[in-house]
């Protein structure tokens, strides 16, 4: 494992290994045990999109591992003025021990990883958000005591979260049901890749336009914003189409009685989810957000230690 770009690239053992390390690092932190596994190492963090959780959890995580994080806004570095990804990758590799990037085009991350001589971590592209899903799997495991055999229902936009959740569920033997409007379905190539992973794992992938069908018997109910970063101009159109996909009390009641509710955040209450669900007792959103810290520390430790 040189880079962390897509859960589809990882084996089940690698994902389980990362979860084990994440759980261990979390316990150590809670017990006040230091783990300076990346002492003297530096992580560059390139952001061409906004972030609260990702930026803070990577910065704090790197610091807790004894390393040094550098926030690199694309507005401030030459990449944002047209310097090539190739030159950026080569130069940054001379200073840093790892590069984390959040950007629009997934291909830019693949190119960065190809040219960089140090590990590259995908901190969200228009296509995928693997760091989030690693934290989500960790959270589901903490609440349910296992992953294999659970059913996750994702209701909403066929976006980066839907894609990474499909990949993640398949790798750990979970069933996954994705309900999106036809016009906002998942990427065809991702679905084809995921189907193969589900077949290999012996678990099930359901793709539907019907939220009730997807949510039936779900252990984990997941949604995300209907308007992702970069789609602001489509907002009005999207809000109209997505209303039947709102995760409200009525829809949530169709999941298993003890289902947990998850959301990567930021959430838009009253749109993709109602207050009674996201602020209800079955919502685990803040544990999920916290686990970003622990899961990403595991990724950094595995790639950079
Ligand atoms: N979930 C997530 O990635 O949040 P940020 O956009 O705040 O980093
Ligand atoms: N789908 C959202 C996820 C934010 C963490 C977006 O890309 O904006």
């Amino acid at each position: 494992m040189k880079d962390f770009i897509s859960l589809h690239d990882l084996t089940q053992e690698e994902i389980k290994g990362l979860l084990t390390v994440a759980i261990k690092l979390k316990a150590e932190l809670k017990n006040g045990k230091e783990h300076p596994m990346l002492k003297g190492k530096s992580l560059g963090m390139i952001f061409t999109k906004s972030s609260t959780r990702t930026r803070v959890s990577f910065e704090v995580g790197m610091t807790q591992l004894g390393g040094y994080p550098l926030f690199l806004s694309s507005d401030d570095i030459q990449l944002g003025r047209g310097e090539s990804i190739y030159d950026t990758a080569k130069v940054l590799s001379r200073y840093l021990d790892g590069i984390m990037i959040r950007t629009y085009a997934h291909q830019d991350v693949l190119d960065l990883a190809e040219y960089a001589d140090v590990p590259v971590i995908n901190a969200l592209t228009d296509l995928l958000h693997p760091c989030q899903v690693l934290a989500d799997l960790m959270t589901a495991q903490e609440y349910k005591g296992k992953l294999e055999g659970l059913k996750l229902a994702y209701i909403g936009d066929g976006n980066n979260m839907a894609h990474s959740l499909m990949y993640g569920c398949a790798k750990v033997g979970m069933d996954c049901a994705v309900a999106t409007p036809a016009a906002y379905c998942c990427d065809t190539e991702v679905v084809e890749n995921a189907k193969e992973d589900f077949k290999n794992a012996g678990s099930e992938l359901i793709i539907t336009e019907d939220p009730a069908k997807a949510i039936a018997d779900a252990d984990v109910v997941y949604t995300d914003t209907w308007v992702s970063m970069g789609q602001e101009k489509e907002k009005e159109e999207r809000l109209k189409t997505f209303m039947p996909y709102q995760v409200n009390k009525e829809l949530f009641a169709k999941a298993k009685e003890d289902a947990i509710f998850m959301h990567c955040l930021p959430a838009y209450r009253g749109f993709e989810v109602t207050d009674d669900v996201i602020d209800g007792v079955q919502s685990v959103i803040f544990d999920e957000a916290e686990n970003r810290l622990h899961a990403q520390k595991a990724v950094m430790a595995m790639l950079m230690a």
Side-chain angles (χ1 to χ4, degrees):
M1 201 169 112
K2 182 207 161 243
D3 306 300
F4 184 79
I5 293 182
S6 165
L7 297 177
H8 179 61
D9 303 334
L10 272 65
T11 63
Q12 180 174 52
E13 289 65 40
E14 283 170 330
I15 294 181
K16 287 196 170 160
L18 284 169
L19 293 175
T20 305
V21 175
I23 289 164
K24 183 170 171 270
L25 292 172
K26 181 174 182 175
E28 286 183 0
L29 184 73
K30 304 270 172 195
N31 293 328
K33 183 168 183 272
E34 292 188 7
H35 34 231
M37 300 155 87
L38 297 182
K39 194 167 182 294
K41 307 239 170 169
S42 301
L43 177 78
M45 314 193 314
I46 303 174
F47 282 91
T48 71
K49 284 176 173 173
S50 309
S51 170
T52 298
R53 280 143 289 269
T54 305
R55 175 177 175 182
V56 176
S57 56
F58 265 103
E59 283 200 26
V60 171
M62 189 62 185
T63 308
Q64 288 177 358
L65 290 170
Y68 181 68
L70 290 93
F71 174 69
L72 305 169
S73 162
S74 62
D75 292 338
D76 303 331
I77 59 172
Q78 300 290 4
L79 184 69
R81 294 183 60 250
E83 185 169 15
S84 71
I85 292 180
Y86 180 85
D87 288 354
T88 304
K90 290 296 175 199
V91 170
L92 290 182
S93 298
R94 298 291 177 106
Y95 306 130
L96 301 167
D97 303 287
I99 305 169
M100 186 232 81
I101 178 164
R102 164 171 286 197
T103 195
Y104 294 88
H106 190 69
Q107 189 59 46
D108 288 350
V109 178
L110 296 176
D111 291 346
L112 187 71
E114 185 185 340
Y115 305 136
D117 305 308
V118 296
V120 169
I121 299 171
N122 174 7
L124 180 147
T125 63
D126 289 344
L127 192 71
L128 298 173
H129 195 3
C131 290
Q132 178 67 51
V133 172
L134 194 65
D136 298 338
L137 294 176
M138 179 180 173
T139 312
Q141 187 167 311
E142 286 175 339
Y143 274 90
K144 297 290 171 189
K146 62 167 189 177
L147 291 173
E148 214 166 324
L150 294 179
K151 177 184 176 182
L152 180 142
Y154 174 90
I155 317 284
D157 189 15
N159 62 12
N160 43 14
M161 280 313 312
H163 297 153
S164 281
L165 283 166
M166 282 195 281
Y167 280 160
C169 287
K171 291 283 166 149
V172 298
M174 284 171 71
D175 295 329
C176 181
V178 176
T180 71
Y184 297 102
C185 63
C186 291
D187 179 82
T188 324
E189 196 184 317
V190 172
V191 173
E192 286 313 309
N193 290 339
K195 274 187 186 162
E196 197 60 32
D197 288 346
F198 279 99
K199 207 171 112 193
N200 293 337
S203 53
E204 193 183 10
L205 174 65
I206 299 169
I207 304 274
T208 176
E209 286 172 42
D210 180 2
K213 183 180 169 194
I215 210 168
D217 272 333
D219 301 280
V220 180
V221 176
Y222 207 113
T223 190
D224 182 19
T225 181
W226 295 335
V227 188
S228 283
M229 289 179 276
Q231 298 172 337
E232 290 74 12
K233 283 201 187 105
E234 303 167 28
K235 185 171 175 183
E236 214 178 311
E237 183 73 31
R238 285 177 161 265
L239 295 191
K240 275 189 252 159
T241 312
F242 278 105
M243 226 42 216
Y245 291 80
Q246 182 183 67
V247 179
N248 49 37
K249 219 172 163 183
E250 198 189 345
L251 182 65
F252 191 68
K254 296 183 201 292
K256 276 199 185 139
E257 211 178 329
D258 62 349
I260 53 173
F261 173 78
M262 296 180 106
H263 191 309
C264 57
L265 306 179
Y268 300 90
R269 287 169 171 77
F271 292 98
E272 74 269 13
V273 61
T274 51
D275 294 2
D276 44 16
V277 174
I278 195 166
D279 300 321
V281 290
Q282 282 159 277
S283 172
V284 302
I285 54 166
F286 298 121
D287 292 317
E288 200 187 342
E290 179 191 327
N291 283 339
R292 293 292 303 277
L293 171 71
H294 312 298
Q296 287 157 193
K297 279 167 73 180
V299 171
M300 291 188 283
M302 293 280 260
L303 292 177
M304 294 163 62

